[in-house]
Structure formats: C-alpha cells, structure tokens
Amino acid sequence: MPNPAVNPFAPTFGAPPPLFAGRDDILRRFDSALDTGPTHPDYTLLITGERGAGKTALLNVLEDHCAERGWQSITAAASTESLSTRITDEAQRLVADIAAESRRPRLRSISALGVGIEMVDEGRRDSAPARASLLTTLERLASALQEIGAGLLITVDELHDAERDDVRDVASAVQIVTRRQQRPLAFAAAALAFVENTHLADANMTFLQRCARARLDALDSADTRRAIRQPIQDSGGDIDCDALDEAVAATLGHPYMIQLVGFHAWEMRTNAAASVSVADVRAGIVEADHAMVGQIAGPIWNRLSAMDRRFLVAMLDDGDDSALSDIADRIGRELQYTRVYRRRLLDAGAIDSRSGARVAFRHHALRKRAQDAVREDPGLSPSNR
Ligand SMILES: Nc1ncnc2c1ncn2[C@@H]1O[C@H](COP(=O)(O)OP(=O)(O)O)[C@@H](O)[C@H]1O
Ligand SMILES: [Mg+2]
C-alpha cells in the first residue's frame, strides 16, 4: 500500500534504493556469464567506482539474480572482517545445510551429494591450514551445488580495505575452483577505483588483474529521472515536471545524490498530499549538497596531504576545468612535480583528467569543501600568499 507519509528514498550507504536504476549492461553481462559458466569472462568481476556510485547496491542485485536461479551467495566486506575466515565459515555452514537437506527423504534422489560432502580430504598436506580449509570447503560446496544444478556467488565489498595476504588467499582458492576445476563459483568484488594502483599493481594479484572490469559511472538522465520519479509515484505522491528536471540536473547522475535530493525534496512538501514542487526541490538540493560535502568530499579531503590540498585550492580560480600548467604556476612548482600530484589526486578520486594537460574536480562537493577550507584558512589560497 502506498503511504504518502513515509519517505521512499534511502540516502544511506549500503541501503538498497527504492528503485535500482540503470546498470543494465553490467547486469546483462553477468546474467550471460551465469548462463555460460566459468569460461565466460564476466564470471569473475571487479566493480570499481567512487564512494556513493552504487557498488554495494549492485553487489546486492547480483546476489538477487543468483538467488533467482537457486544459487547461494556468500557476502564479505573487507572493511570489517577477515575475508578468508568469513568465507570459510559461511561455506562450511552452507555445506552443512546442503548435507542436512540431502538427508531429508524428498531429496534422497540427489544422493550423489553425499560423495561431495564426504570429500573431507584428510590427505591434503598444506602448510597453511587456514588456506587449505578455505580451498577444500569451497571445493566441496561448489561441487555439491553443481550436483543440484546450482552454484555459488562470492561477493567481496570494499576490496581496497583488505589485507593483501587475505585477498591472495581468497583469490587463489577461488581461482582453483572456478578457473582450474571449472566449478560454478562466480566472484564479484567492489572497490574504489584507486585499487588499480594499490592491490592490483601487486605482481601477485594476477587473479584480480584478470577479472573483468565494470566501472560504475554516473547514471544517464533517463535512468536518473526514473530513479527519482517512480519511488515518489509508487508512494502515492507526484513531482511537477520542471521540479523533476531541476532535481535530475542537480544530481549529475550520482546515485547517492539521487537519493539525497529525492529524500530532502520529499521532506520539504508542505503536506502529504502535495506534489513535489520546484521550491521543494531547490530547498532539497541545498540539504543534499550539505550532505555530499560531509559524506563524499569530507572523507576524500581528510585523506589528502597539505600539497594535495594546495593543488585543489589552486583549481578554484578556474571554471569547469584547469590547465595543469596554470596550477604549477599557482603552487609555484615545476610541471613535472605537479604531474605527480595530479596522479595522486586521480587515485584519491578527487579529480578527473580528460587529457593529461587539464584537470577538473570529480565532485562539485569537493570544490565546495576546498572553498570552505579557504574560508577557514585564507592562507591556503595562492592569491593570498
Ligand atoms: N542504481 C541505483 N539507482 C538508484 N539509487 C542507487 C543505485 N545504486 C545505489 N543507489 C543509492 O546510492 C547510495 C549509495 O549506494 P552504495 O551502493 O552504498 O554506494 P557505494 O557502495 O558505491 O559507496 C545508496 O543510498 C543507494 O541506495
Ligand atoms: Mg559500498
């Protein structure tokens, strides 16, 4: 039942959106991989995107697609737990569940399962017991699931936060089961884009390097419109045409911003029966911008060095983008030196660079954060030195 009193939007990291918009191409690729099996390149997938781009939401949708096929999923988040421990524990639990199911009379026909379950492999002599048990558990689980025409999806969120040894243990076990043994074990990890220059630059990370990439960019304007309008209408409300246009333009297709603008515009309505107006959207955008500065720009800004910040402040004199040579002049450094900082800021998700010679703020919110910093400390600005 639509309830116009309940705000349908979900401006919270990791919260499923009321309408999951776009990403059709990635979902098509993934479905086709599940149809095809481990030989399909998208069977092992690395999703990258900035904070709030919708990585966690996408992993959840991939799990839903697997569940619809009767597959199992194991979800691990590198920022909060050891990946190998979590995956081993969950896999053991699933193996036990399947064994219990197979003992029920109605499932006796799949007695071949027993063979898989009994494969305890005492004979395996591996010097690293944790890894051996991860590998043997995954082997057992994947073959048991294969017997019943199903499979397993392992998702790893926040991969950039994982310990490298931990990633290597998981990667080598998954690699053996899916690539070498060709069992139905699909893998999807999500990370901030800088992981390409940290974990993936490591020579021992060949499995991850070979995963297919899915980069989450901004949603296009048709998907953004749907993501804002449909939840409003599904909740029994409506949004004026010009209000929707302004809301769509303000989000720049950024999923977190879509939820923020939708949420705050909805809150601004004078009464539950009113449709969302241009005034509601404009007031909502102000609130959303505040949240973006705090939630998106803040964490990026806090990780930057003093020179990184000077670089960004030097960009404030320009409009859409800045010439690297101008920035070098303003911070009083050689172009070569400035290029090193350009690289660092690209990796940190602070700037974009369409050509090597020009750079732009990745987020409007980060420009605002830099302006706030100058307001707090005018000495940061090159024009005040
Ligand atoms: N495809 C989408 N359509 C609409 N909203 C989305 C979509 N993907 C994510 N969101 C919303 O955007 C916000 C950030 O998503 P999340 O998956 O937590 O991002 P990330 O993991 O990349 O930081 C959440 O509020 C989520 O509900
Ligand atoms: Mg996330």
Side-chain angles (χ1 to χ4, degrees), residues 50 249-252 254 257 285-286 288-294 296-298 300-301 312 315-316 318-320 349-352 360-372:
E50 58 195 81
T251 65
L252 301 171
H254 189 276
M257 185 67 175
I285 291 169
V286 173
D289 274 341
H290 274 305
M292 284 290 282
V293 173
I296 301 280
I300 296 174
W301 182 264
L312 294 184
M315 291 168 65
L316 291 175
D318 303 308
D320 282 350
I351 59 169
D352 276 326
F361 280 100
R362 176 78 61 84
H363 298 282
H364 188 54
L366 193 61
R367 171 183 282 274
K368 287 212 163 119
R369 181 65 190 82
Q371 284 164 341
D372 288 348

mmCIF file of all heavy atoms in Angstrom, residues 50 249-252 254 257 285-286 288-294 296-298 300-301 312 315-316 318-320 349-352 360-372:
data_model
loop_
_atom_site.group_PDB
_atom_site.id
_atom_site.type_symbol
_atom_site.label_atom_id
_atom_site.label_comp_id
_atom_site.label_asym_id
_atom_site.label_seq_id
_atom_site.Cartn_x
_atom_site.Cartn_y
_atom_site.Cartn_z
ATOM 1 N N GLU A 50 33.482 5.403 -7.486
ATOM 2 C CA GLU A 50 33.748 6.230 -6.312
ATOM 3 C C GLU A 50 32.707 5.939 -5.219
ATOM 4 O O GLU A 50 31.752 5.203 -5.439
ATOM 5 C CB GLU A 50 33.712 7.692 -6.726
ATOM 6 C CG GLU A 50 32.374 8.057 -7.331
ATOM 7 C CD GLU A 50 32.443 9.388 -8.063
ATOM 8 O OE1 GLU A 50 32.893 9.419 -9.213
ATOM 9 O OE2 GLU A 50 32.040 10.365 -7.456
ATOM 10 N N ALA A 249 18.984 17.399 -12.943
ATOM 11 C CA ALA A 249 20.199 18.147 -13.286
ATOM 12 C C ALA A 249 21.120 18.268 -12.066
ATOM 13 O O ALA A 249 22.343 18.155 -12.197
ATOM 14 C CB ALA A 249 19.826 19.525 -13.813
ATOM 15 N N ALA A 250 20.554 18.458 -10.893
ATOM 16 C CA ALA A 250 21.384 18.667 -9.697
ATOM 17 C C ALA A 250 22.148 17.412 -9.286
ATOM 18 O O ALA A 250 23.207 17.496 -8.674
ATOM 19 C CB ALA A 250 20.514 19.138 -8.528
ATOM 20 N N THR A 251 21.627 16.241 -9.614
ATOM 21 C CA THR A 251 22.287 15.016 -9.147
ATOM 22 C C THR A 251 23.493 14.630 -9.990
ATOM 23 O O THR A 251 24.331 13.852 -9.527
ATOM 24 C CB THR A 251 21.332 13.807 -9.202
ATOM 25 O OG1 THR A 251 21.001 13.562 -10.577
ATOM 26 C CG2 THR A 251 20.081 14.038 -8.401
ATOM 27 N N LEU A 252 23.560 15.119 -11.225
ATOM 28 C CA LEU A 252 24.611 14.707 -12.165
ATOM 29 C C LEU A 252 24.677 13.179 -12.295
ATOM 30 O O LEU A 252 25.724 12.623 -12.589
ATOM 31 C CB LEU A 252 25.987 15.247 -11.724
ATOM 32 C CG LEU A 252 26.110 16.766 -11.605
ATOM 33 C CD1 LEU A 252 27.432 17.143 -10.950
ATOM 34 C CD2 LEU A 252 25.990 17.427 -12.977
ATOM 35 N N HIS A 254 24.639 10.983 -10.011
ATOM 36 C CA HIS A 254 25.353 10.309 -8.919
ATOM 37 C C HIS A 254 24.330 9.619 -8.011
ATOM 38 O O HIS A 254 23.473 10.293 -7.426
ATOM 39 C CB HIS A 254 26.156 11.368 -8.151
ATOM 40 C CG HIS A 254 27.085 10.786 -7.145
ATOM 41 N ND1 HIS A 254 26.689 10.439 -5.877
ATOM 42 C CD2 HIS A 254 28.392 10.467 -7.217
ATOM 43 C CE1 HIS A 254 27.719 9.946 -5.212
ATOM 44 N NE2 HIS A 254 28.767 9.951 -6.015
ATOM 45 N N MET A 257 23.611 11.039 -4.546
ATOM 46 C CA MET A 257 22.985 12.361 -4.670
ATOM 47 C C MET A 257 21.520 12.215 -5.097
ATOM 48 O O MET A 257 20.662 12.979 -4.665
ATOM 49 C CB MET A 257 23.798 13.205 -5.658
ATOM 50 C CG MET A 257 23.343 14.639 -5.799
ATOM 51 S SD MET A 257 23.590 15.630 -4.292
ATOM 52 C CE MET A 257 23.087 17.260 -4.911
ATOM 53 N N ILE A 285 17.850 20.423 -2.606
ATOM 54 C CA ILE A 285 19.215 20.396 -3.158
ATOM 55 C C ILE A 285 20.202 21.033 -2.177
ATOM 56 O O ILE A 285 21.334 20.555 -2.017
ATOM 57 C CB ILE A 285 19.261 21.097 -4.539
ATOM 58 C CG1 ILE A 285 18.499 20.254 -5.579
ATOM 59 C CG2 ILE A 285 20.700 21.327 -5.004
ATOM 60 C CD1 ILE A 285 18.268 20.974 -6.907
ATOM 61 N N VAL A 286 19.778 22.089 -1.496
ATOM 62 C CA VAL A 286 20.665 22.727 -0.511
ATOM 63 C C VAL A 286 21.051 21.717 0.576
ATOM 64 O O VAL A 286 22.229 21.549 0.930
ATOM 65 C CB VAL A 286 19.980 23.971 0.114
ATOM 66 C CG1 VAL A 286 20.819 24.532 1.257
ATOM 67 C CG2 VAL A 286 19.724 25.033 -0.954
ATOM 68 N N ALA A 288 20.905 18.449 0.318
ATOM 69 C CA ALA A 288 21.650 17.353 -0.302
ATOM 70 C C ALA A 288 23.116 17.754 -0.502
ATOM 71 O O ALA A 288 24.030 16.962 -0.256
ATOM 72 C CB ALA A 288 21.011 16.969 -1.632
ATOM 73 N N ASP A 289 23.326 19.013 -0.925
ATOM 74 C CA ASP A 289 24.701 19.496 -1.117
ATOM 75 C C ASP A 289 25.494 19.441 0.186
ATOM 76 O O ASP A 289 26.655 19.048 0.203
ATOM 77 C CB ASP A 289 24.689 20.944 -1.643
ATOM 78 C CG ASP A 289 24.569 20.992 -3.166
ATOM 79 O OD1 ASP A 289 24.852 19.965 -3.813
ATOM 80 O OD2 ASP A 289 24.182 22.055 -3.694
ATOM 81 N N HIS A 290 24.831 19.830 1.274
ATOM 82 C CA HIS A 290 25.494 19.755 2.591
ATOM 83 C C HIS A 290 25.945 18.336 2.895
ATOM 84 O O HIS A 290 27.073 18.092 3.316
ATOM 85 C CB HIS A 290 24.522 20.176 3.696
ATOM 86 C CG HIS A 290 24.491 21.644 3.934
ATOM 87 N ND1 HIS A 290 25.628 22.365 4.219
ATOM 88 C CD2 HIS A 290 23.466 22.528 3.922
ATOM 89 C CE1 HIS A 290 25.290 23.641 4.369
ATOM 90 N NE2 HIS A 290 23.992 23.769 4.189
ATOM 91 N N ALA A 291 25.027 17.412 2.674
ATOM 92 C CA ALA A 291 25.335 16.013 2.973
ATOM 93 C C ALA A 291 26.452 15.501 2.066
ATOM 94 O O ALA A 291 27.319 14.741 2.510
ATOM 95 C CB ALA A 291 24.078 15.160 2.824
ATOM 96 N N MET A 292 26.446 15.908 0.806
ATOM 97 C CA MET A 292 27.501 15.472 -0.119
ATOM 98 C C MET A 292 28.867 15.983 0.338
ATOM 99 O O MET A 292 29.859 15.259 0.264
ATOM 100 C CB MET A 292 27.234 15.977 -1.538
ATOM 101 C CG MET A 292 26.161 15.223 -2.288
ATOM 102 S SD MET A 292 26.643 13.534 -2.746
ATOM 103 C CE MET A 292 27.698 13.828 -4.166
ATOM 104 N N VAL A 293 28.909 17.232 0.795
ATOM 105 C CA VAL A 293 30.190 17.774 1.261
ATOM 106 C C VAL A 293 30.681 16.946 2.452
ATOM 107 O O VAL A 293 31.846 16.555 2.524
ATOM 108 C CB VAL A 293 30.062 19.277 1.617
ATOM 109 C CG1 VAL A 293 31.347 19.771 2.268
ATOM 110 C CG2 VAL A 293 29.750 20.099 0.372
ATOM 111 N N GLY A 294 29.763 16.638 3.371
ATOM 112 C CA GLY A 294 30.155 15.872 4.560
ATOM 113 C C GLY A 294 30.503 14.427 4.249
ATOM 114 O O GLY A 294 31.523 13.903 4.698
ATOM 115 N N ILE A 296 30.793 12.713 1.100
ATOM 116 C CA ILE A 296 31.601 12.326 -0.066
ATOM 117 C C ILE A 296 32.911 13.116 -0.087
ATOM 118 O O ILE A 296 34.001 12.555 -0.144
ATOM 119 C CB ILE A 296 30.811 12.576 -1.378
ATOM 120 C CG1 ILE A 296 29.518 11.768 -1.382
ATOM 121 C CG2 ILE A 296 31.685 12.284 -2.587
ATOM 122 C CD1 ILE A 296 29.642 10.316 -1.742
ATOM 123 N N ALA A 297 32.795 14.459 -0.014
ATOM 124 C CA ALA A 297 34.005 15.272 -0.125
ATOM 125 C C ALA A 297 34.843 15.183 1.157
ATOM 126 O O ALA A 297 36.076 15.154 1.097
ATOM 127 C CB ALA A 297 33.635 16.725 -0.425
ATOM 128 N N GLY A 298 34.183 15.137 2.313
ATOM 129 C CA GLY A 298 34.906 15.112 3.595
ATOM 130 C C GLY A 298 35.913 13.972 3.673
ATOM 131 O O GLY A 298 37.103 14.198 3.911
ATOM 132 N N ILE A 300 37.298 12.232 1.360
ATOM 133 C CA ILE A 300 38.390 12.384 0.379
ATOM 134 C C ILE A 300 39.359 13.456 0.879
ATOM 135 O O ILE A 300 40.578 13.244 0.936
ATOM 136 C CB ILE A 300 37.830 12.773 -1.014
ATOM 137 C CG1 ILE A 300 36.957 11.654 -1.568
ATOM 138 C CG2 ILE A 300 38.973 13.095 -1.986
ATOM 139 C CD1 ILE A 300 36.250 11.997 -2.880
ATOM 140 N N TRP A 301 38.829 14.606 1.266
ATOM 141 C CA TRP A 301 39.643 15.739 1.711
ATOM 142 C C TRP A 301 40.535 15.342 2.897
ATOM 143 O O TRP A 301 41.715 15.663 2.939
ATOM 144 C CB TRP A 301 38.722 16.902 2.086
ATOM 145 C CG TRP A 301 39.432 18.138 2.508
ATOM 146 C CD1 TRP A 301 39.705 18.529 3.800
ATOM 147 C CD2 TRP A 301 39.991 19.154 1.663
ATOM 148 N NE1 TRP A 301 40.381 19.717 3.796
ATOM 149 C CE2 TRP A 301 40.568 20.129 2.514
ATOM 150 C CE3 TRP A 301 40.053 19.330 0.272
ATOM 151 C CZ2 TRP A 301 41.205 21.269 2.008
ATOM 152 C CZ3 TRP A 301 40.677 20.464 -0.221
ATOM 153 C CH2 TRP A 301 41.247 21.412 0.646
ATOM 154 N N LEU A 312 44.305 21.463 -5.120
ATOM 155 C CA LEU A 312 42.858 21.629 -5.331
ATOM 156 C C LEU A 312 42.432 23.080 -5.148
ATOM 157 O O LEU A 312 41.614 23.597 -5.905
ATOM 158 C CB LEU A 312 42.066 20.737 -4.363
ATOM 159 C CG LEU A 312 42.211 19.227 -4.564
ATOM 160 C CD1 LEU A 312 41.292 18.491 -3.590
ATOM 161 C CD2 LEU A 312 41.877 18.817 -5.992
ATOM 162 N N MET A 315 42.902 25.165 -8.057
ATOM 163 C CA MET A 315 41.927 24.966 -9.144
ATOM 164 C C MET A 315 40.697 25.861 -8.989
ATOM 165 O O MET A 315 39.900 25.978 -9.923
ATOM 166 C CB MET A 315 41.476 23.494 -9.184
ATOM 167 C CG MET A 315 42.555 22.522 -9.624
ATOM 168 S SD MET A 315 42.081 20.795 -9.304
ATOM 169 C CE MET A 315 40.666 20.605 -10.402
ATOM 170 N N LEU A 316 40.522 26.447 -7.809
ATOM 171 C CA LEU A 316 39.292 27.216 -7.543
ATOM 172 C C LEU A 316 39.184 28.475 -8.402
ATOM 173 O O LEU A 316 38.083 28.988 -8.607
ATOM 174 C CB LEU A 316 39.213 27.603 -6.055
ATOM 175 C CG LEU A 316 38.979 26.450 -5.078
ATOM 176 C CD1 LEU A 316 39.039 26.959 -3.636
ATOM 177 C CD2 LEU A 316 37.639 25.775 -5.354
ATOM 178 N N ASP A 318 39.526 28.659 -11.476
ATOM 179 C CA ASP A 318 39.029 28.340 -12.812
ATOM 180 C C ASP A 318 37.569 27.911 -12.759
ATOM 181 O O ASP A 318 37.027 27.628 -11.698
ATOM 182 C CB ASP A 318 39.871 27.216 -13.422
ATOM 183 C CG ASP A 318 41.344 27.588 -13.480
ATOM 184 O OD1 ASP A 318 41.653 28.674 -14.006
ATOM 185 O OD2 ASP A 318 42.168 26.786 -12.993
ATOM 186 N N GLY A 319 36.960 27.817 -13.958
ATOM 187 C CA GLY A 319 35.578 27.360 -14.065
ATOM 188 C C GLY A 319 35.523 25.848 -14.066
ATOM 189 O O GLY A 319 35.876 25.212 -13.077
ATOM 190 N N ASP A 320 35.110 25.270 -15.214
ATOM 191 C CA ASP A 320 34.906 23.825 -15.298
ATOM 192 C C ASP A 320 36.169 23.008 -15.083
ATOM 193 O O ASP A 320 36.155 21.997 -14.406
ATOM 194 C CB ASP A 320 34.342 23.465 -16.677
ATOM 195 C CG ASP A 320 32.866 23.776 -16.752
ATOM 196 O OD1 ASP A 320 32.281 24.080 -15.691
ATOM 197 O OD2 ASP A 320 32.311 23.743 -17.868
ATOM 198 N N GLY A 349 40.464 9.842 -6.138
ATOM 199 C CA GLY A 349 39.087 10.122 -6.546
ATOM 200 C C GLY A 349 38.708 11.581 -6.369
ATOM 201 O O GLY A 349 37.534 11.922 -6.263
ATOM 202 N N ALA A 350 39.721 12.469 -6.339
ATOM 203 C CA ALA A 350 39.438 13.893 -6.127
ATOM 204 C C ALA A 350 39.229 14.635 -7.441
ATOM 205 O O ALA A 350 38.435 15.574 -7.505
ATOM 206 C CB ALA A 350 40.587 14.533 -5.346
ATOM 207 N N ILE A 351 39.954 14.233 -8.465
ATOM 208 C CA ILE A 351 39.862 14.936 -9.749
ATOM 209 C C ILE A 351 39.663 13.947 -10.898
ATOM 210 O O ILE A 351 39.890 12.751 -10.750
ATOM 211 C CB ILE A 351 41.137 15.780 -10.035
ATOM 212 C CG1 ILE A 351 42.388 14.879 -10.059
ATOM 213 C CG2 ILE A 351 41.298 16.901 -9.016
ATOM 214 C CD1 ILE A 351 43.641 15.581 -10.596
ATOM 215 N N ASP A 352 39.254 14.514 -12.028
ATOM 216 C CA ASP A 352 39.222 13.798 -13.304
ATOM 217 C C ASP A 352 40.209 14.479 -14.217
ATOM 218 O O ASP A 352 40.467 15.677 -14.063
ATOM 219 C CB ASP A 352 37.840 13.924 -13.954
ATOM 220 C CG ASP A 352 36.871 12.905 -13.432
ATOM 221 O OD1 ASP A 352 37.312 11.787 -13.125
ATOM 222 O OD2 ASP A 352 35.675 13.243 -13.328
ATOM 223 N N ALA A 360 39.840 18.472 -13.632
ATOM 224 C CA ALA A 360 38.579 19.034 -13.125
ATOM 225 C C ALA A 360 38.237 18.346 -11.810
ATOM 226 O O ALA A 360 38.617 17.188 -11.596
ATOM 227 C CB ALA A 360 37.463 18.794 -14.135
ATOM 228 N N PHE A 361 37.513 19.032 -10.948
ATOM 229 C CA PHE A 361 37.030 18.399 -9.720
ATOM 230 C C PHE A 361 36.131 17.226 -10.082
ATOM 231 O O PHE A 361 35.277 17.341 -10.959
ATOM 232 C CB PHE A 361 36.214 19.397 -8.886
ATOM 233 C CG PHE A 361 37.058 20.343 -8.086
ATOM 234 C CD1 PHE A 361 37.296 21.635 -8.535
ATOM 235 C CD2 PHE A 361 37.607 19.939 -6.887
ATOM 236 C CE1 PHE A 361 38.075 22.512 -7.794
ATOM 237 C CE2 PHE A 361 38.385 20.805 -6.139
ATOM 238 C CZ PHE A 361 38.626 22.091 -6.590
ATOM 239 N N ARG A 362 36.316 16.099 -9.402
ATOM 240 C CA ARG A 362 35.450 14.952 -9.643
ATOM 241 C C ARG A 362 34.033 15.257 -9.153
ATOM 242 O O ARG A 362 33.048 14.839 -9.747
ATOM 243 C CB ARG A 362 36.025 13.716 -8.922
ATOM 244 C CG ARG A 362 35.207 12.462 -8.976
ATOM 245 C CD ARG A 362 35.320 11.732 -10.301
ATOM 246 N NE ARG A 362 36.660 11.301 -10.596
ATOM 247 C CZ ARG A 362 37.195 10.164 -10.146
ATOM 248 N NH1 ARG A 362 36.511 9.355 -9.371
ATOM 249 N NH2 ARG A 362 38.416 9.823 -10.473
ATOM 250 N N HIS A 363 33.941 15.985 -8.051
ATOM 251 C CA HIS A 363 32.631 16.321 -7.481
ATOM 252 C C HIS A 363 32.526 17.810 -7.237
ATOM 253 O O HIS A 363 33.467 18.416 -6.737
ATOM 254 C CB HIS A 363 32.450 15.707 -6.087
ATOM 255 C CG HIS A 363 32.486 14.246 -6.070
ATOM 256 N ND1 HIS A 363 31.435 13.487 -6.447
ATOM 257 C CD2 HIS A 363 33.472 13.406 -5.700
ATOM 258 C CE1 HIS A 363 31.754 12.229 -6.318
ATOM 259 N NE2 HIS A 363 32.984 12.151 -5.875
ATOM 260 N N HIS A 364 31.350 18.301 -7.501
ATOM 261 C CA HIS A 364 31.018 19.647 -7.109
ATOM 262 C C HIS A 364 31.241 19.817 -5.588
ATOM 263 O O HIS A 364 31.722 20.838 -5.109
ATOM 264 C CB HIS A 364 29.549 19.858 -7.466
ATOM 265 C CG HIS A 364 29.096 21.253 -7.305
ATOM 266 N ND1 HIS A 364 29.739 22.307 -7.901
ATOM 267 C CD2 HIS A 364 28.063 21.779 -6.595
ATOM 268 C CE1 HIS A 364 29.112 23.420 -7.570
ATOM 269 N NE2 HIS A 364 28.105 23.135 -6.777
ATOM 270 N N ALA A 365 30.901 18.760 -4.842
ATOM 271 C CA ALA A 365 31.012 18.820 -3.370
ATOM 272 C C ALA A 365 32.457 19.029 -2.925
ATOM 273 O O ALA A 365 32.709 19.674 -1.905
ATOM 274 C CB ALA A 365 30.453 17.543 -2.759
ATOM 275 N N LEU A 366 33.402 18.488 -3.688
ATOM 276 C CA LEU A 366 34.801 18.648 -3.292
ATOM 277 C C LEU A 366 35.270 20.082 -3.544
ATOM 278 O O LEU A 366 36.062 20.650 -2.773
ATOM 279 C CB LEU A 366 35.689 17.647 -4.027
ATOM 280 C CG LEU A 366 37.107 17.517 -3.470
ATOM 281 C CD1 LEU A 366 37.089 17.036 -2.015
ATOM 282 C CD2 LEU A 366 37.940 16.563 -4.314
ATOM 283 N N ARG A 367 34.762 20.693 -4.624
ATOM 284 C CA ARG A 367 35.052 22.108 -4.863
ATOM 285 C C ARG A 367 34.554 22.927 -3.660
ATOM 286 O O ARG A 367 35.248 23.784 -3.140
ATOM 287 C CB ARG A 367 34.371 22.573 -6.163
ATOM 288 C CG ARG A 367 34.434 24.078 -6.397
ATOM 289 C CD ARG A 367 33.691 24.488 -7.661
ATOM 290 N NE ARG A 367 34.437 24.219 -8.872
ATOM 291 C CZ ARG A 367 35.337 25.055 -9.413
ATOM 292 N NH1 ARG A 367 35.599 26.209 -8.858
ATOM 293 N NH2 ARG A 367 35.976 24.728 -10.514
ATOM 294 N N LYS A 368 33.339 22.583 -3.223
ATOM 295 C CA LYS A 368 32.779 23.299 -2.059
ATOM 296 C C LYS A 368 33.639 23.092 -0.814
ATOM 297 O O LYS A 368 33.845 24.018 -0.025
ATOM 298 C CB LYS A 368 31.362 22.798 -1.758
ATOM 299 C CG LYS A 368 30.353 23.257 -2.753
ATOM 300 C CD LYS A 368 29.021 23.427 -2.054
ATOM 301 C CE LYS A 368 28.103 24.277 -2.895
ATOM 302 N NZ LYS A 368 26.909 23.582 -3.294
ATOM 303 N N ARG A 369 34.120 21.850 -0.657
ATOM 304 C CA ARG A 369 34.950 21.551 0.511
ATOM 305 C C ARG A 369 36.225 22.392 0.461
ATOM 306 O O ARG A 369 36.676 22.918 1.487
ATOM 307 C CB ARG A 369 35.280 20.054 0.560
ATOM 308 C CG ARG A 369 36.131 19.632 1.764
ATOM 309 C CD ARG A 369 35.354 19.834 3.054
ATOM 310 N NE ARG A 369 36.176 19.674 4.268
ATOM 311 C CZ ARG A 369 36.958 20.624 4.766
ATOM 312 N NH1 ARG A 369 37.075 21.805 4.152
ATOM 313 N NH2 ARG A 369 37.636 20.401 5.872
ATOM 314 N N ALA A 370 36.802 22.532 -0.743
ATOM 315 C CA ALA A 370 38.021 23.331 -0.894
ATOM 316 C C ALA A 370 37.725 24.808 -0.617
ATOM 317 O O ALA A 370 38.525 25.508 0.028
ATOM 318 C CB ALA A 370 38.597 23.137 -2.297
ATOM 319 N N GLN A 371 36.557 25.272 -1.072
ATOM 320 C CA GLN A 371 36.176 26.668 -0.789
ATOM 321 C C GLN A 371 36.009 26.892 0.711
ATOM 322 O O GLN A 371 36.447 27.912 1.248
ATOM 323 C CB GLN A 371 34.867 27.021 -1.518
ATOM 324 C CG GLN A 371 35.069 27.254 -3.007
ATOM 325 C CD GLN A 371 33.773 27.217 -3.802
ATOM 326 O OE1 GLN A 371 32.754 26.681 -3.336
ATOM 327 N NE2 GLN A 371 33.812 27.754 -5.014
ATOM 328 N N ASP A 372 35.400 25.916 1.383
ATOM 329 C CA ASP A 372 35.245 26.025 2.845
ATOM 330 C C ASP A 372 36.618 26.128 3.508
ATOM 331 O O ASP A 372 36.808 26.888 4.457
ATOM 332 C CB ASP A 372 34.530 24.790 3.416
ATOM 333 C CG ASP A 372 33.049 24.777 3.045
ATOM 334 O OD1 ASP A 372 32.555 25.810 2.560
ATOM 335 O OD2 ASP A 372 32.406 23.721 3.243
#
